[in-house]
Amino acid sequence: MKTAAQQAPIQRAGEAAGAATGQAKAHDVVLQVRDLAVDIRTHRGTVRAVNSVAFEARAGETLALLGESGCGKSMTAKALAGIMDPVCDLADGEIVLKGTDLAALSAKERLKFAGPELGIVFQDALTALNPVYTVGTQLGEAFRIHRGLNAKQARAEAIDLMKRVGIPEPESRVNSYPHQFSGGMRQRILIAMAVALNPRLLIADEPTTALDVTVQAQIMQLLRKLREEGQMAVILITHDLAVVAEEADSVAVMYAGNVVESGPVSEVFADPRHPYTKGLLESVPVHLERGAKLKSIAGSPPELHDIPAGCVYQSRCPLVQDICRAERPVLRPAAIPSGTEPRPARTAACHFSEEINNV
Ligand SMILES: Nc1ncnc2c1ncn2[C@@H]1O[C@H](COP(=O)(O)OP(=O)(O)OP(=O)(O)O)[C@@H](O)[C@H]1O
Ligand SMILES: [Mg+2]
């Protein structure tokens, strides 16, 4: 196991400030992911579902993981949270949270260390909640396990949490069961469970997909409020570019299990450096100039059994050349971020990232 002292210090100053105040300082790097790879064992052999994934999440900021269905977003989230399906293996990489590499910990060490520091929310709140326990019991669990509170104290904490996430009449509703709440309220309960112990990192995997549009906006507003209150780093998983533009500070664009581009949202969307990002942007109306035509990206992503050598995007790329078929481009610095704030680096995995906006 690598301890904080053995790790290269990612954010020493921030760690010290966080320890003193109980909170991370805005913009401190909370999570750094490097070279993450996840394999799936299938009846047709082992396939790599997540490959060379790298990004960082900062305190008080939202990082969006963006990409089409099947590109490995949820798999990445589950690998970070240590809750992968039994057929999946962490094949490579570092998941450095608060200076400690979670990938190098045993399951037990990881639960003890990361349990209170990392919360995760999924799309489907009904299946994520246990139907046979009251929400009070489920909300109180984290306090009993990690803080050693008794049932009465845990219930009081559960009521406080329900207030924090905007559930009306928490004193009586704490005794209700999940099916007695609306979809939006259930999602609030799931979010409350995820933030119960004031984690440094919250992962939200398509948290509003199953909800009505008006409820979606309320849940996003709640996530923003909680992020600001706790200076949490939030990783927001979505396939929706408008959500990324509205909610996120930085973005990592995924394609066929790989991060193909990352950086501050405003810069990546204004000046994409990967043809896939450019294609995605051209397929949504909000980014079009007047009179321009909506384009969709022809073709579909490769099957996991059939990922080509070379660039993963080659079969759909308008710029493809021989080198793209022969050599997998690695994520490398793509452009200098502007401004003086500490900003995430811009990266792209394309042999022609400097030229894509000239075509
Ligand atoms: N248990 C599993 N067994 C086999 N393949 C799986 C398993 N779980 C996921 N996959 C495959 O791994 C790839 C990545 O899946 P993942 O769920 O991470 O995609 P995603 O980006 O979250 O997509 P979506 O937007 O649809 O949620 C997909 O090709 C998927 O079919
Ligand atoms: Mg998913």
Side-chain angles (χ1 to χ4, degrees):
M1 152 185 176
K2 285 181 194 167
T3 63
Q6 289 162 334
Q7 273 287 336
I10 286 184
Q11 195 53 266
R12 277 268 178 262
E15 283 299 316
T21 60
Q23 266 195 355
K25 262 191 6 237
H27 313 305
D28 284 349
V29 175
V30 170
L31 176 83
Q32 185 131 39
V33 177
R34 300 189 193 107
D35 288 330
L36 186 72
V38 178
D39 286 346
I40 309 177
R41 278 169 275 125
T42 76
H43 63 279
R44 290 169 63 193
T46 299
V47 292
R48 183 145 291 189
V50 171
N51 193 34
S52 304
V53 162
F55 50 73
E56 59 189 31
R58 292 169 179 256
E61 295 189 8
T62 297
L63 161 74
L65 281 192
L66 173 70
E68 283 168 284
S69 185
C71 73
K73 304 182 295 295
S74 296
M75 195 73 89
T76 300
K78 287 179 184 169
L80 300 184
I83 50 170
M84 288 190 299
D85 297 341
V87 292
C88 300
D89 297 307
L90 197 62
D92 198 3
E94 292 181 5
I95 303 166
V96 182
L97 181 67
K98 280 180 63 192
T100 295
D101 181 12
L102 303 183
L105 300 183
S106 70
K108 203 171 155 197
E109 288 169 331
R110 188 178 174 135
L111 185 67
K112 188 156 179 259
F113 176 78
E117 296 290 358
L118 187 158
I120 184 160
V121 177
F122 294 103
Q123 158 183 346
D124 187 355
L126 193 55
T127 53
L129 291 165
N130 190 324
V132 302
Y133 292 109
T134 65
V135 299
T137 303
Q138 295 182 66
L139 284 168
E141 193 177 74
F143 297 101
R144 290 193 303 276
I145 293 176
H146 289 282
R147 298 264 163 86
L149 300 193
N150 64 31
K152 192 170 165 217
Q153 293 164 327
R155 186 175 183 277
E157 293 287 350
I159 291 170
D160 262 6
L161 264 181
M162 290 172 81
K163 282 185 196 149
R164 249 176 95 191
V165 300
I167 295 174
E169 298 168 35
E171 282 85 0
S172 59
R173 304 234 61 194
V174 72
N175 298 319
S176 303
Y177 290 87
H179 72 270
Q180 294 172 301
F181 290 85
S182 67
M185 285 297 153
R186 278 199 293 263
Q187 194 57 293
R188 284 177 193 265
I189 293 164
L190 211 60
I191 291 170
M193 282 170 76
V195 302
L197 301 174
N198 298 317
R200 297 279 183 100
L201 176 68
L202 178 68
I203 302 173
D205 188 352
E206 312 247 14
T208 63
T209 308
L211 304 172
D212 293 345
V213 178
T214 48
V215 182
Q216 286 182 5
Q218 292 161 6
I219 294 291
M220 289 316 308
Q221 196 181 5
L222 171 65
L223 287 174
R224 276 198 298 275
K225 179 188 96 128
L226 294 169
R227 183 192 68 186
E228 276 155 32
E229 281 174 5
Q231 283 299 307
M232 285 186 300
V234 175
I235 297 181
L236 178 64
I237 295 182
T238 180
H239 53 260
D240 188 334
L241 282 102
V243 169
V244 177
E246 242 166 69
E247 304 290 340
D249 301 281
S250 54
V251 59
V253 183
M254 289 188 68
Y255 185 80
N258 290 248
V259 170
V260 293
E261 171 155 21
S262 73
V265 173
S266 53
E267 297 179 25
V268 170
F269 280 17
D271 179 23
R273 293 304 173 99
H274 194 283
Y276 177 59
T277 317
K278 193 173 182 213
L280 279 180
L281 289 165
E282 286 169 350
S283 68
V284 279
V286 68
H287 292 281
L288 282 181
E289 287 170 19
R290 268 180 98 86
K293 275 216 173 91
L294 262 188
K295 292 187 212 165
S296 65
I297 306 174
S300 51
E303 294 287 327
L304 291 181
H305 290 94
D306 210 15
I307 304 275
C311 177
V312 287
Y313 191 56
Q314 60 182 276
S315 66
R316 300 171 86 184
C317 184
L319 302 178
V320 64
Q321 315 245 347
D322 285 347
I323 185 175
C324 310
R325 297 187 187 95
E327 224 178 87
R328 173 88 43 97
V330 294
L331 259 189
R332 59 189 168 91
I336 310 294
S338 60
T340 51
E341 284 270 279
R343 305 299 301 159
R346 288 206 59 184
T347 62
C350 173
H351 292 301
F352 300 99
S353 63
E354 281 77 33
E355 285 141 63
I356 73 159
N357 287 308
N358 303 331
V359 291

